[in-house]
Amino acid sequence: MRDQAGRTVSEAGEAATIATIRRAAPSSVNGDDAAVLEESSPNSRQVCTTDILVRDRHFSFEFSTPYEVGQKAVAQNFADIQAMGGRPTAILLGIATPGDVALSAIGDIARGIHDAAGPWGSEIVGGDVVMSKDLVISLTAIGELAGPSPAMTLDGAAPSHRLIAAGPIGYSAAGLAVLQHYGSRKAVPTDDPKLQQLVDWHCAPHLPAGRGSVARATGASSMTDNSDGLVVDLSTIAERSGVTIDVDPEAIAPDELLTHAGECVGMDPWKWVLTGGEDHTLLGTTGARLPSGYRVIGTVLEYDGEHDLTVGGTAPAYSGGWESL
């Protein structure tokens, strides 16, 4: 039965809502009591992760489209799979939704997930939909870790390793600050491409397919993604590994986009670089060759007995980061 334009989730009901998701994100293995996944390769291990997005805490439709929310959900989950060196293979989607949410919005969220997962050869293979007071999107990503090489872990950093990064740092936090400054997506000047680029990154960060797998293949031993803030995430690696990580301030200095945004909204862009999360940039350490797509942003030292993390040999100018609770 064809959907009527403008129907809400409550008007459509559970079956039609699920059908909308399946049309927006088609999969040949979705639709039974559970999904049976093909064995992709011998000598592989499964990797699983899950994240939850709550409307008006993790996203706002004043800032992001439903399609972008779906893309963002994929980026934050797939970044966790990639930080282990794994390859995402499947997605389980859970949606708790008020009845007055437009059915088209649910379809757009599913389409965003489907399109963002496509380059990885991954898709939605199942999930659940329930009524709720708040709109909550729960995405579980399943991946594989192929071959005998160990996973990249938080405790894998060692003295003399180089600190490496793949992707921008501070863009998502800057984009959020721009949105909050202007009040809505529509109010951000359309003739300012620098601000628009930062806003786009906050609403739908981009994670190039295979970047974490490449790092693992070249011998990187530790990795995480910049989800809670550079200082927080790198301090976690340093603490778990029993080392001190020293970041090169020149390697992470705010670029022209961040500097311009700082001038527009009256904020120090260094705060975005050091404490802003949700870039989902991959951060790791390696004692081997530099993986393709990465740059060196610091070094790993023997623990100095006081600092887990320094920037240019001193304590960072800003600390803290995003906290979910």
Side-chain angles (χ1 to χ4, degrees), residues 280-297:
H280 302 297
T281 288
L282 295 178
L283 307 166
T285 69
T286 183
R289 63 187 177 91
L290 183 67
S292 175
Y294 287 78
R295 63 191 184 279
V296 177
I297 64 168

Side-chain angles (χ1 to χ4, degrees), residues 94-317:
I95 296 181
T97 176
D100 61 357
V101 170
L103 190 61
S104 61
I106 301 299
D108 286 343
I109 290 170
R111 263 186 291 277
I113 293 171
H114 182 73
D115 291 351
W120 304 78
S122 183
E123 60 190 13
I124 298 173
V125 299
D128 194 17
V129 176
V130 299
M131 286 293 185
S132 170
K133 180 180 177 181
D134 298 314
L135 178 58
V136 180
I137 301 162
S138 175
L139 194 149
T140 296
I142 302 168
E144 69 165 2
L145 198 66
S149 298
M152 298 181 294
T153 55
L154 293 170
D155 60 358
S160 79
H161 280 189
R162 291 176 292 176
L163 177 66
I164 58 176
I169 300 173
Y171 277 26
S172 180
L176 177 59
V178 169
L179 287 165
Q180 291 173 333
H181 176 78
Y182 288 98
S184 71
R185 185 76 167 272
K186 293 180 180 179
V188 179
T190 56
D191 60 350
D192 193 324
K194 294 178 181 177
L195 296 185
Q196 290 291 336
Q197 185 175 339
L198 294 173
V199 166
D200 288 345
W201 192 271
H202 170 73
C203 294
H206 177 63
L207 182 68
R211 194 60 59 80
S213 303
V214 167
R216 175 172 173 254
T218 57
S221 58
S222 74
M223 186 155 285
T224 190
D225 72 297
N226 183 21
S227 56
D228 297 328
L230 187 72
V231 170
V232 171
D233 291 321
L234 290 181
S235 292
T236 299
I237 290 180
E239 181 181 359
R240 293 281 294 273
S241 300
V243 298
T244 293
I245 290 178
D246 184 52
V247 183
D248 179 359
E250 293 186 5
I252 62 167
D255 62 13
E256 60 177 341
L257 269 69
L258 296 178
T259 300
H260 174 66
E263 293 171 350
C264 289
V265 304
M267 292 182 64
D268 182 359
W270 273 104
K271 187 171 184 178
W272 299 328
V273 170
L274 294 173
T275 68
E278 293 195 327
D279 286 316
H280 302 297
T281 288
L282 295 178
L283 307 166
T285 69
T286 183
R289 63 187 177 91
L290 183 67
S292 175
Y294 287 78
R295 63 191 184 279
V296 177
I297 64 168
T299 189
V300 183
L301 309 170
E302 295 278 357
Y303 180 55
D304 66 8
E306 183 178 0
H307 301 101
D308 293 320
L309 180 77
T310 56
V311 177
T314 62

Side-chain angles (χ1 to χ4, degrees), residues 5-92:
R7 281 200 302 175
T8 66
V9 168
S10 182
E11 292 167 343
E14 180 181 4
T17 300
I18 293 173
T20 296
I21 293 171
R22 291 186 64 197
R23 282 195 299 272
S27 168
S28 61
V29 299
N30 186 6
D32 214 312
D33 288 334
V36 178
L37 306 180
E38 298 277 340
E39 285 190 19
S40 54
S41 62
N43 193 25
S44 66
R45 291 154 283 171
Q46 282 197 329
V47 186
C48 302
T49 187
T50 189
D51 269 301
I52 295 173
L53 291 168
V54 180
R55 183 170 61 177
D56 295 330
R57 177 161 179 80
H58 301 99
F59 68 92
S60 167
F61 288 146
E62 286 293 311
F63 296 164
S64 305
T65 65
Y67 182 84
E68 289 173 328
V69 172
Q71 291 182 304
K72 188 171 189 173
V74 170
Q76 65 185 42
N77 276 270
F78 281 15
D80 288 339
I81 297 285
Q82 280 280 276
M84 306 300 293
R87 180 180 70 86
T89 56
I91 295 167
L92 297 173

